[in-house]
Amino acid sequence: GPFNKETKRMSIESHLAELQRRHAALESEIREAIAHPSVDDAEVAELKRRKLQLKDEIAKIKSVATVH
């Protein structure tokens, strides 16, 4: 079918790349926020929470992707 292993792997990899890009973006956003004391602690905490969620999702996808 159209969803052969290769296609599936590619979509997983591009999804993973997108998540990792967002994770990196959040990381620099957090660094920026920490560098500016005017930024609300709650906002920083929210960013960190989202970063952790992404990290979990990345780990989950990686474990699925490596199972053959």
Side-chain angles (χ1 to χ4, degrees), residues 40-50:
D40 187 6
D41 280 347
E43 205 175 316
V44 175
E46 172 63 18
L47 289 172
K48 286 184 176 173
R49 195 182 61 75
R50 276 166 48 203

Side-chain angles (χ1 to χ4, degrees), residues 12-65:
I12 287 174
E13 277 177 11
S14 61
H15 184 53
L16 197 54
E18 169 63 16
L19 289 178
Q20 284 169 330
R21 192 187 61 72
R22 276 162 48 195
H23 185 268
L26 271 173
E27 214 150 41
S28 56
E29 224 179 303
I30 290 167
R31 269 200 302 272
E32 283 281 298
I34 292 170
H36 295 83
S38 60
V39 174
D40 187 6
D41 280 347
E43 205 175 316
V44 175
E46 172 63 18
L47 289 172
K48 286 184 176 173
R49 195 182 61 75
R50 276 166 48 203
K51 197 182 89 168
L52 271 177
Q53 275 184 328
L54 275 172
K55 197 179 155 203
D56 282 352
E57 192 138 342
I58 289 167
K60 221 179 294 176
I61 291 172
K62 276 185 172 167
S63 71
V64 169

